[in-house]
């Protein structure tokens, strides 16, 4: 359908639209008009992605005088593919209605692992080794060597691409990763380099967060992006963690040992070069004198590392004299590694600020701050000079230099924590030195500064006012949208008491109480007997889950559960868990019914959809607070309190609930794998229903509850706030019966219109215009 | 049904006594009594006399809605209906059937309504046959073979009532498939599963069995007693059946009885084909013959197969010897109305009635006055769209649900000659 939002004609590829999608688009359009950043929360399953895409592309079509570029960031490759598929559908629709004028170029960019078509390279098992294998074939010196020696292997795809040079362009269209590979194969061009080249010209680029947030990658890929771009971070509820991770480094013993090996290898290489080609080293020295910014002679394929967040003005400075010569630099590195080794040999937990750390390096190892700051680039330059291609071997020394540069650059927002052992296992020595970033705004700041509009959107951004403070920006629009539903298809409940009316909680003093364990068990046993198909249970941690399953096993509760449903458990092993999930799905499909035990912060089951019958009920046992004794968390909380005046309790609750909500989200994640017919999918998604039980007495407190997103809160009735097991059981039974009834899809009879047709939208638009008049 | 309406009325009455009682927020024990708490719905008139409860209007509006939805579905296209049905009723008697959320237990409720259903079914589909299957202890067993005698089925079910063990949908489907797939192609193969359990414990891959049923053109419908199960939904979608979940006993009964009228025929069956049928003569009074069904000599009271002259006791049936289907003409006639249902009557407002030309203002069916007694105001009534005669609500229901003929149209049809005379 086609409709007007103010002066922009929006092309929406489906016949009907949800009212919340419409208002979402209106808000988004205002943000684009204002050329500012915005923060939008809308429940998953309401078609956020298509609303975003269709508004922004339509906006670009309407404003031809200042074309905007869309940079769409997703978390996973899977999401990227989904987004591109949606975009393709939208693009076909626009071309059908507008003809050639609507043509655009949209590409997805991913790592070599996902794009490489050279069978010799792409067979490598992980990302780093694919990168290294590629470099072995495409680095400039390898290629110049191949020019003289035909036996030197090169990548034919890259050669072809390079030969085509300016002629290597993608025709307009939407390219998924699969399309890119197919195109590359057909033409014989390397899809990875082609895509990287085309990023500058594309109207829409879809890639991972890292390409913008991780300064190492961003420098290469995203440098050329124009200012008139709209950056979208989808599923951005833990964007702050992504930012922090991008700037955090941890150093272990293995890292240091590896680094020492690396250093001696580099030394050998230097000696070898001195014999055969001393001129090269001298040329490098001269270049370093000129300054880092003049890396003119490096070709595109060689630019594989960039400086982590060095401000531009530093890049123009000359590299300090004491590390200009390769041997001197190696000495510095050796001293640094030695210093860190001594530091790691401690037996007590230490916490330091970067300033004092740098000072002590200076006095103990004789390395000044400026030298530290340039470590990363100096190493990079050295490796390049030495023509080292197997970069995956040199990860350890890169980590060390990364660390050095970050310590040398930032005096605030970081802390260095040395822990001699993991707190949960104090007997096993596993010393780790961590450089933790506390300030999420550091990594994202360049993005906010560079681009005209940044859109942060997700199913859960509540409380919405916390994000601007964490990321330190000023949104022009920040809104939360509710899902319009024809019926109350989600039924959240807060269970505070067990069947014996005693309170249940995973609070530290209560969690090992046998009464609580039994009550939780009873709850599950009762629930499996009345809920069909799949149930997902989330526990606060792996250790708690192990403990509780053990005691259930001993008391026979597990056996009772197994009479009704099969039990699957998430472990820390990816393969095992994938298998368990697969079988879980199968058990749900064939009607046997299944329970999946998972961990709220478990990384394995993250991002997995428990939609439809795969998750009729989600039980959250306890509140998944972060491990509050963790030094890193403590330090971060302290920093947040001092800098942003965010109370510790607030953040913890926020963080815990964000996590809970992610579960709910994955549960209600109704995104369809294939973009099928609109009405079909619309109705399919809204036809879904499910229950959530928050089993902890702390959820009934207002401060915890109020952090839940609005669309769940609105379904949480006061009567369901303080339930015991039997009451929850009763509600569940009624709810399931009610939801099993056939219902009116458009909601036109009940007076709650949830699906708008063309006329409805036009009417809305007119009303909106009138409202503005008066 | 009118239960919900009543419930609402009760709710209003109660609200005065208890402050926090909502319609739905009532305790479970209270709700079960709402149907019986009819004393609360009593009202007094001005003179202090108790007024009778008038559920008729509510009942009638419910009925009309149902009728409308039915006719809307069929009016869209002329749908062929399967009149000769072979229905397997699968009753789940696993442990879950012993649950007490239906009073006194799911099992008892199922038994009660299945009995009513079987009678209703044979009343509406005299040419059809039913077979009973139960699931118990993880296996399915055939209780009765396909047959046309309601009494035999009911008796067999009542004897076997008792629940234990797990439930297996696959076993049941396999058994039903074996029974039904040899039915000749003119018969409509249907399965109705009354499923209490929430899981199924199967020996193999149920998806294959579902595909097998689909291939054999079994129309599988499920009525769930607790909640929606994915596999049941999948089964019904694949085979073209309906999947419903009962809210309470009344709803369950309603859902069950919806299966009594014949469903629209599947597209594959839409080809018309001829079926050989015999219309046996009634045996002469006092004649003695050996009856083929009981294998003993009987006096009088029987029918003789027109082809092989064997004697059978009741109709409809299949001849034991030559396999001919034996029916009587009223049976056929009784099935006939499913093909040509009477269109629902339009409702007539009081004003229309008063303006109408019908001077007497009486019902065309029963000749009762259409005016409400005492007040002399026009009460609710309906009019046939074809003959434009007025009927009271009771007659409306009677005509649509039992008679299947409109007296107005029928009486007009007698005088086509007269009509043509006046025209010429």
């Amino acid at each position: 359908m086609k409709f007007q939002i103010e002066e922009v004609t929006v092309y929406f590829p489906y016949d009907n639209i949800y009212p919340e999608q419409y208002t979402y688009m209106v808000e988004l359009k205002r943000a684009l008009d204002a050329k500012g950043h915005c923060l939008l929360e809308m429940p998953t399953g309401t078609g956020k992605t298509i609303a975003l895409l269709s508004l922004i592309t339509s906006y670009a079509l309407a404003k031809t005088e200042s074309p905007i570029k869309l940079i769409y960031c997703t978390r996973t490759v899977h999401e990227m593919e989904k987004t591109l598929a949606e975009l393709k559908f939208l693009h076909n629709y626009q071309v059908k209605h507008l003809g050639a004028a609507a043509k655009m170029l949209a590409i997805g960019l991913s790592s070599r692992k996902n794009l490489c078509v050279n069978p010799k390279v792409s067979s490598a098992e992980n990302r780093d080794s694919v990168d290294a294998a590629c470099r072995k074939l495409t680095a400039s010196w390898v290629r110049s060597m191949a020019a003289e020696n035909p036996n030197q292997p090169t990548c034919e795809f890259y050669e072809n691409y390079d030969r085509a040079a300016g002629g290597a362009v993608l025709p307009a269209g939407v390219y998924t990763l699969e399309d890119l590979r197919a195109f590359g194969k057909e033409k014989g061009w390397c899809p990875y380099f082609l895509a990287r080249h085309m990023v500058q010209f594309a109207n829409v680029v879809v890639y991972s967060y890292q390409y913008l947030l991780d300064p190492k990658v961003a420098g290469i890929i995203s440098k050329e992006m124009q200012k008139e771009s709209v950056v979208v971070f989808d599923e951005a509820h833990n964007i702050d963690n992504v930012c922090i991770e991008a700037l955090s480094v941890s150093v272990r013993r293995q890292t240091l040992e590896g680094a020492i090996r690396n250093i001696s290898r580099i030394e050998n290489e230097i000696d070898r070069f001195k014999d055969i080609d001393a001129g090269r080293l001298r040329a490098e020295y001269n270049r370093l004198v000129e300054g880092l910014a003049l890396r003119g002679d490096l070709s595109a394929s060689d630019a594989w590392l960039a400086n982590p967040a060095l401000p531009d003005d530093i890049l123009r400075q000359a590299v300090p004299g004491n590390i200009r010569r390769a041997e001197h630099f190696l000495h510095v590195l050796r001293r640094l590694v030695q210093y860190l080794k001594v530091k790691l040999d401690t037996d007590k937990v230490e916490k330091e600020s970067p300033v004092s750390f740098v000072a002590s390096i200076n006095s103990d190892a004789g390395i000044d701050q400026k030298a530290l700051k340039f470590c990363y680039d100096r190493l990079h330059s050295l490796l390049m000079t030495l023509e080292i291609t197997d970069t995956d071997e040199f990860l350890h020394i890169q980590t060390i230099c990364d660390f050095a540069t970050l310590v040398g650059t930032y005096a605030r927002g970081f802390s260095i924590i040395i822990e001699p052992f993991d707190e949960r296992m104090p007997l096993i020595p596993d010393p780790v030195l961590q450089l933790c970033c506390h300030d999420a705004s550091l990594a994202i700041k360049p993005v906010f500064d560079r681009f005209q509009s940044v859109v942060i959107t997700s199913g859960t951004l509540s409380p919405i006012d916390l994000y601007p403070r964490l990321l330190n920006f000023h949104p022009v629009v920040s809104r939360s949208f509710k899902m319009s539903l024809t019926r109350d298809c989600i039924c959240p409940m807060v269970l505070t008491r067990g069947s014996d009316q005693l309170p249940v909680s995973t609070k530290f003093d209560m969690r090992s109480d046998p009464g609580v364990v039994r009550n939780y068990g009873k709850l599950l046993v009762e629930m499996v007997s009345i809920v069909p198909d799949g149930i997902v249970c989330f526990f606060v941690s792996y250790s708690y889950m192990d403990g509780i399953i053990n005691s259930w096993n001993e008391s026979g509760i597990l056996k009772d559960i197994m009479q009704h449903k099969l039990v699957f458990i998430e472990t820390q092993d990816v393969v095992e868990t994938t298998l368990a999930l697969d079988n879980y799905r199968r058990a749900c499909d064939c009607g046997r019914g299944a329970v999946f035990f998972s961990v709220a912060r478990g990384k394995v089951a993250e991002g997995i959809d428990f939609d439809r019958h795969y998750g009729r009920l989600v039980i959250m046992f306890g509140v998944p607070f972060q491990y509050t004794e963790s030094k890193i968390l403590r330090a971060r909380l302290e920093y947040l309190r001092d800098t942003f005046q965010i109370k510790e309790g607030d953040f913890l609750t926020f963080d815990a609930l964000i996590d809970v909500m992610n579960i709910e989200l994955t549960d209600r994640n109704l995104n369809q794998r294939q973009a099928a017919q609109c009405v079909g999918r619309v109705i399919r998604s809204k036809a879904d229903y499910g229950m959530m039980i928050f089993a902890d007495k702390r959820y009934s407190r207002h401060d915890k509850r109020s952090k839940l997103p609005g669309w769940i809160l609105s379904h949480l009735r006061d009567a369901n706030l303080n339930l015991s097991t039997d009451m929850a059981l009763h509600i569940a039974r009624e709810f399931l019966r009610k939801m099993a009834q056939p219902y009116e899809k458009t909601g036109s009879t009940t007076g709650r219109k949830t699906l708008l047709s063309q006329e409805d939208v036009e009417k809305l638009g007119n009303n909106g215009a009138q409202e503005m008049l008066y | 049904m009118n239960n919900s309406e009543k419930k609402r009325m009760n709710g209003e009455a109660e609200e005065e006594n208890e402050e926090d009682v909502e319609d739905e927020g009532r305790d479970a024990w209270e709700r079960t009594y709402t149907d019986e708490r009819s004393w609360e719905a009593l009202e007094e008139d001005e003179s202090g006399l108790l007024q009778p409860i008038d559920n008729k209007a509510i009942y009638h509006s419910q009925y009309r809605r149902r009728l409308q939805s039915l006719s809307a579905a069929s009016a869209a296209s002329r749908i062929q209906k399967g009149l000769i049905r072979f229905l397997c009723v699968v009753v789940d008697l696993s442990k879950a059937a012993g649950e007490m959320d239906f009073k006194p237990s799911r099992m008892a409720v199922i038994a009660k309504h299945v009995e009513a259903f079987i009678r209703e079914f044979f009343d509406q589909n005299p040419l059809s046959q039913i077979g009973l299957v139960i699931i118990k202890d993880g296996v399915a067993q055939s209780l009765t073979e396909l047959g046309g005698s309601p009494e035999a089925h009911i008796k067999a079910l009542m004897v076997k009532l008792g629940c234990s063990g797990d439930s297996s949908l696959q076993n049941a489907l396999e058994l039903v498939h074996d029974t039904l797939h040899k039915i000749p192609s003119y018969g409509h193969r249907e399965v109705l599963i009354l499923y209490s359990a929430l899981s199924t414990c199967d020996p193999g891959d149920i998806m294959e069995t579902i595909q097998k049923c689909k291939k054999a053109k079994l129309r599988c419908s499920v009525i769930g007693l607790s909640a929606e199960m994915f596999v049941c939904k999948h089964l019904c979608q694949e085979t073209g059946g309906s999947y419903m979940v009962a809210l309470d006993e009344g709803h369950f009964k309603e859902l069950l009885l919806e299966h009594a009228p014949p469903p629209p025929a599947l597209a594959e069956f839409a080809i018309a084909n001829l079926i050989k049928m015999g219309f046996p003569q009634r045996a002469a009074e006092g004649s003695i013959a050996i009856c083929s069904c009981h294998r003993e000599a009987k006096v009088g009271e029987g029918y003789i197969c027109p082809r092989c002259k064997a004697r059978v006791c009741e109709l409809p049936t299949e001849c034991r010897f030559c396999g001919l289907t034996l029916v009587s003409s009223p049976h056929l006639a009784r099935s006939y109305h499913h093909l040509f249902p009477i269109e629902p009557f339009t409702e007539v407002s009081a004003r229309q009635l008063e303006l109408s030309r019908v001077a007497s203002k009486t019902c065309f069916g029963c000749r009762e006055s259409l005016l409400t007694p005492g007040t002399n105001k026009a009460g609710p009534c309906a009019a046939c769209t074809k003959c434009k005669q007025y009927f009271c609500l009771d007659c409306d229901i009677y005509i649509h649900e039992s008679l299947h003929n409109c007296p107005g149209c029928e009486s007009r049809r007698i005088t086509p000659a007269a009509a043509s005379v006046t025209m010429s």
Side-chain angles (χ1 to χ4, degrees), chain A residues 651-662:
Chain A
F651 181 75
L652 277 180
T653 316
F654 153 75
D655 192 62
L657 290 178
I658 279 293
D659 226 69
V660 175
M661 288 312 65
N662 289 349

Side-chain angles (χ1 to χ4, degrees), chain A residues 374-649:
Chain A
F374 282 94
C375 265
Y376 198 88
D377 281 274
R378 183 62 189 90
L379 177 76
H380 162 218
S381 156
L382 181 62
L383 290 182
M384 201 67 78
T385 317
L386 296 177
E387 301 183 348
I388 286 171
T389 49
D390 49 349
T391 41
D392 53 334
E393 298 287 321
F394 286 85
L395 282 180
H396 296 301
I397 191 72
Q398 280 170 30
T399 313
I400 301 286
C401 289
D402 197 358
F403 172 82
T405 305
L406 285 172
V407 168
T409 313
Y410 294 104
R412 282 183 52 79
F414 284 80
S415 60
I416 292 140
I417 295 169
I418 306 169
E419 285 176 293
F421 46 73
D422 194 328
E423 299 226 350
R424 275 159 264 189
M425 286 169 281
L427 296 176
I428 308 160
D430 177 26
V432 55
L433 184 146
Q434 287 164 298
L435 174 74
C436 319
C437 172
H438 302 312
D439 193 344
S441 61
L442 286 179
I444 205 169
K445 189 167 181 294
V447 180
F448 283 129
D449 290 346
R450 273 235 347 251
F451 298 108
Q452 177 180 309
S453 300
V454 177
V455 180
I456 292 180
T457 186
S458 173
T460 34
L461 291 173
S462 306
I464 207 159
D465 55 327
L466 200 50
Y467 281 88
R469 283 157 78 193
L470 279 178
L471 301 176
N472 197 15
F473 74 108
H474 299 286
V476 290
V477 175
S478 99
R479 263 199 70 177
S480 173
F481 300 91
K482 283 202 182 68
M483 196 192 304
S484 60
L485 295 164
T486 37
R487 53 179 191 170
D488 297 324
C489 68
I490 39 180
C491 176
M493 288 181 255
V494 175
L495 183 118
T496 56
R497 289 161 292 144
S499 45
D500 54 5
Q501 304 301 323
L502 291 176
V504 289
S505 174
T506 55
K507 228 162 113 184
F508 195 71
D509 49 344
M510 287 178 72
R511 58 165 63 176
S512 47
D513 181 356
V516 172
V517 172
R518 198 184 50 241
N519 270 331
Y520 276 153
K522 280 269 164 57
L523 167 68
L524 189 55
V525 169
E526 299 278 359
M527 281 299 165
V528 291
S529 68
I530 61 156
V531 177
D533 303 325
I535 296 184
V536 188
C537 298
F538 285 97
F539 296 90
V540 287
S541 67
Y542 281 108
S543 60
Y544 182 66
M545 178 168 81
D546 290 347
I548 204 165
I549 292 177
N550 254 333
S551 49
W552 283 352
N553 190 24
E554 279 158 22
S555 55
I557 287 175
L558 210 56
K559 218 165 123 200
D560 289 346
I561 295 172
M562 304 261 255
Q563 286 199 331
H564 295 278
K565 290 189 192 307
L566 304 180
V567 174
F568 297 94
I569 301 173
E570 173 186 341
T571 61
Q572 269 148 318
D573 184 345
V574 179
V575 181
E576 211 172 68
T577 306
T578 317
L579 199 69
L581 267 172
D582 202 37
N583 284 323
Y584 169 79
R585 292 246 165 84
R586 205 173 300 161
C588 294
D589 280 336
C590 80
R592 182 65 186 85
V595 188
F596 191 77
F597 288 157
S598 183
V599 173
R601 288 176 179 278
K603 285 280 172 256
V604 188
E606 195 185 47
I608 288 164
D609 300 356
F610 291 111
D611 57 341
R612 296 178 298 140
H613 60 285
Y614 298 126
R616 282 288 177 233
L617 169 67
V618 175
I619 307 180
M620 179 71 234
F621 292 106
V623 188
F625 282 119
Q626 273 192 45
Y627 180 58
T628 43
E629 296 306 304
S630 147
K631 293 286 166 312
I632 301 166
L633 182 62
R634 292 263 125 174
R636 181 163 182 213
L637 288 175
E638 228 164 76
Y639 179 80
L640 287 178
R641 192 191 52 209
D642 295 348
T643 322
F644 297 120
Q645 286 80 45
I646 295 169
K647 266 189 260 151
E648 285 153 2

